[in-house]
Amino acid sequence: MTLVKMHDYLPKEFQTKYFDFVPRDISDASFCRDLLEQVRRSHENCAYYREKICQRFDFTIPEEISLDNLETIPYIPASIYKESDDRFFQLLKVPKDEIVLYSCSSSTTGDPSIVPRTLDDFDQLQYNAIKLFSEFFQWDELNDSLCFNFSPDRHFMAFMARMKLNNKKHKKLIGPRTRYFTACMNKPWDYRGHQEYLIKVKYLKTLWALISTFSIRGGFVLDVSLMLKMIRKVLKNGEWKKRKINSFVFGGSPLLMNNMFINRLLKENIEIDLDGKARAVCGGGGWDGVKGEAKMDAVDKVHFINCFEKVFNLKTEKIGDIYGFTESPVLFGGHWSEKLQDFVHHCPNHARLIVRSTKNLEPVGVGEEGLLEVITPYGVNGTVNQAVLIDDIVELVSLNKCMECGYEGATFRVIGRLENAQGKSCSSLINWVY
């Protein structure tokens, strides 16, 4: 009953099926014009942005913005949205009653980011997701697919997001409207083929974990046996639960997929030929071995790719990765690069990126590493997140076009986290203490 009540807090519009995807042609001029409008709205409607952030940058609203001066736009560190800072309401640029959803990060620190979003922001996030799925994962061909999602189901994910909040005031005020960012971006998959969530919840174990440890860890099971049963039945009969199935999708956490290979499929020498019938869509991070309640060994990406080929006969071109973070609505699709032996991620036309040096925060060039800044004027109506600097260290691979697949826009690969590499966070580097 609780889960149903929580679900009812969200607007009915959230049940819309986002199938009518039409790519939007965004020129450089319109991007810059729309970005300037978002900067103006932030300056006019958010005192914190105007009096703290803009003053920090000695920034005044310009007559125009161009691609040549994007680096001068005030950016905020992603950590400014941490729940413990209790600033996310100060960062609003619309009245609270226009916020319909609070995106929550599945932070491993126990201090999640909370990002307020309007209905238009949520719609843009769905557009961003389907654009990515269409360009990198053949979205139009997956109507009759069987998708194995390495995640709990959406209702329990909503419960988990609310449990992630630490502040009792926040639980009461925004808890029912809080959802994991990954659950928001993956919502369109609920309307594509058959969705099977492989993380099954053992409710008695979960209840005991809550009582004894104040944590929900320990109440989950990765149901690999069910997945194997479903695959074999579809290969034999061509359908599942009287629904025609023509392909399989392995989606979600690479950390849990890797666990499946190492602790079950490789040990039992299980091999099922899915050549031409399946693809893997990794997302949500976790390559470093830590994601939400899951803490395991780091994932060796080369070994991970080889496991998919050995067990399921998936070729590298059928294995992709999604990069994104709660504080920005932008999602980056990635393919495997044989040259770099890593996933290369691509910047879509509704965003731009800057890689900034960890020494002086100046933009770096191709082949250099630094902190990732993501800039977009779309899907940022609720709060001042049009330019966000994240703690992730990336290598700028190309500026304007992918040399391997031809995708237009900058490309990068993820190296690691600043705090892991240098013992400090983005906030400490920028000195965001007021």
Side-chain angles (χ1 to χ4, degrees):
M1 293 298 294
T2 302
L3 296 180
V4 173
K5 184 178 179 181
M6 286 173 60
H7 187 267
D8 288 344
Y9 270 91
L10 297 180
K12 291 182 179 179
E13 291 91 337
F14 276 33
Q15 304 310 310
T16 301
K17 295 183 180 180
Y18 295 84
F19 285 164
D20 298 327
F21 169 73
V22 177
R24 301 166 189 167
D25 184 18
I26 302 174
S27 67
D28 291 345
S30 61
F31 178 91
C32 292
R33 184 176 58 250
D34 294 339
L35 179 60
L36 178 58
E37 177 60 25
Q38 287 293 356
V39 172
R40 283 175 175 159
R41 289 183 190 175
S42 297
H43 193 270
E44 292 172 2
N45 301 331
C46 179
Y48 191 97
Y49 184 85
R50 181 174 60 252
E51 298 169 8
K52 299 290 188 180
I53 298 174
C54 289
Q55 286 189 20
R56 167 71 173 77
F57 282 85
D58 192 23
F59 178 81
T60 56
I61 305 296
E63 290 295 321
E64 63 179 24
I65 289 176
S66 72
L67 296 183
D68 293 331
N69 64 8
L70 290 182
E71 64 189 72
T72 65
I73 302 298
Y75 51 82
I76 58 174
S79 54
I80 202 171
Y81 284 102
K82 289 295 183 183
E83 184 189 14
S84 60
D85 281 355
D86 202 12
R87 283 183 180 149
F88 55 90
F89 281 133
Q90 292 178 270
L91 301 173
L92 289 175
K93 56 186 175 190
V94 296
K96 285 184 184 178
D97 60 6
E98 292 187 28
I99 300 299
V100 297
L101 181 80
Y102 293 85
S103 297
C104 172
S105 64
S106 52
S107 169
T108 57
T109 64
D111 187 13
S113 291
I114 301 172
V115 182
R117 289 190 153 99
T118 66
L119 186 60
D120 285 341
D121 293 341
F122 184 79
D123 285 348
Q124 180 67 43
L125 182 55
Q126 303 309 299
Y127 170 86
N128 294 352
I130 298 181
K131 175 179 170 64
L132 179 148
F133 299 152
S134 300
E135 293 175 341
F136 290 91
F137 304 113
Q138 284 69 55
W139 176 254
D140 291 339
E141 301 174 10
L142 300 178
N143 248 342
D144 297 318
S145 64
L146 175 53
C147 179
F148 298 111
N149 196 323
F150 285 69
S151 162
D153 66 46
R154 295 180 61 81
H155 289 295
F156 198 79
M157 286 280 279
F159 171 72
M160 290 172 64
R162 187 176 186 181
M163 288 297 300
K164 198 71 179 180
L165 300 176
N166 298 304
N167 188 307
K168 291 183 179 180
K169 177 186 69 174
H170 296 160
K171 285 182 184 289
K172 181 178 180 180
L173 289 176
I174 70 170
R177 295 173 183 262
T178 301
R179 295 294 185 273
Y180 278 142
F181 178 71
T182 50
C184 296
M185 60 169 275
N186 284 325
K187 182 179 181 293
W189 283 103
D190 280 356
Y191 304 104
R192 265 296 190 259
H194 176 84
Q195 186 89 188
E196 187 67 36
Y197 294 94
L198 291 182
I199 303 298
K200 306 301 182 182
V201 182
K202 302 299 181 181
Y203 287 98
L204 291 179
K205 286 186 177 181
T206 301
L207 180 61
W208 174 247
L210 283 168
I211 294 172
S212 59
T213 67
F214 300 102
S215 168
I216 55 177
R217 193 180 307 158
F220 306 103
V221 173
L222 177 60
D223 201 343
V224 178
S225 295
L226 173 63
M227 182 197 75
L228 294 174
K229 174 184 175 181
M230 294 173 72
I231 291 175
R232 287 164 177 155
K233 184 166 184 178
V234 170
L235 290 179
K236 181 179 179 181
N237 301 325
E239 61 181 34
W240 175 255
K241 292 185 177 180
K242 298 182 180 181
R243 179 171 186 160
K244 180 183 177 183
I245 301 295
N246 61 19
S247 64
F248 302 95
V249 178
F250 300 94
S253 169
L255 185 60
L256 296 176
M257 293 184 199
N258 194 58
N259 178 270
M260 168 189 70
F261 287 123
I262 293 175
N263 293 320
R264 177 74 186 273
L265 303 185
L266 293 179
K267 284 184 176 180
E268 297 181 11
N269 294 316
I270 293 175
E271 295 184 7
I272 303 175
D273 188 359
L274 298 181
D275 183 32
K277 300 183 180 118
R279 63 174 51 255
V281 183
C282 304
W287 294 102
D288 59 356
V290 183
K291 182 63 181 175
E293 296 291 327
K295 293 178 175 61
M296 306 173 191
D297 292 333
V299 180
D300 182 311
K301 294 179 184 178
V302 175
H303 182 257
F304 179 81
I305 292 290
N306 290 337
C307 285
F308 262 112
E309 183 166 10
K310 175 177 174 56
V311 175
F312 294 117
N313 196 20
L314 258 67
K315 305 300 186 288
T316 55
E317 60 267 22
K318 295 294 185 179
I319 306 171
D321 186 43
I322 300 171
Y323 175 84
F325 52 93
T326 310
E327 297 81 7
S328 172
V330 181
L331 302 170
F332 302 89
H335 61 68
W336 183 254
S337 168
E338 291 292 345
K339 177 182 177 181
L340 297 175
Q341 290 291 282
D342 201 352
F343 288 104
V344 173
H345 294 89
H346 305 66
C347 187
N349 66 348
H350 51 264
R352 299 294 186 274
L353 62 85
I354 297 174
V355 179
R356 293 185 178 271
S357 166
T358 58
K359 296 179 180 179
N360 56 20
L361 294 176
E362 291 298 317
V364 304
V366 172
E368 297 182 275
E369 298 177 6
L371 300 173
L372 178 65
E373 177 190 351
V374 177
I375 303 171
T376 184
Y378 309 110
V380 293
N381 293 318
T383 185
V384 296
N385 58 338
Q386 59 267 359
V388 181
L389 190 69
I390 190 71
D391 278 6
D392 287 344
I393 296 178
V394 305
E395 176 193 343
L396 183 61
V397 176
S398 66
L399 279 175
N400 302 309
K401 185 177 183 180
C402 178
M403 296 299 101
E404 297 187 34
C405 73
Y407 191 94
E408 297 288 340
T411 63
F412 64 94
R413 68 187 187 101
V414 181
I415 305 298
R417 304 251 333 150
L418 175 68
E419 57 195 29
N420 295 335
Q422 300 187 16
K424 55 187 176 182
S425 69
C426 215
S427 294
S428 63
L429 187 66
I430 303 174
N431 192 24
W432 280 96
V433 179
Y434 297 113

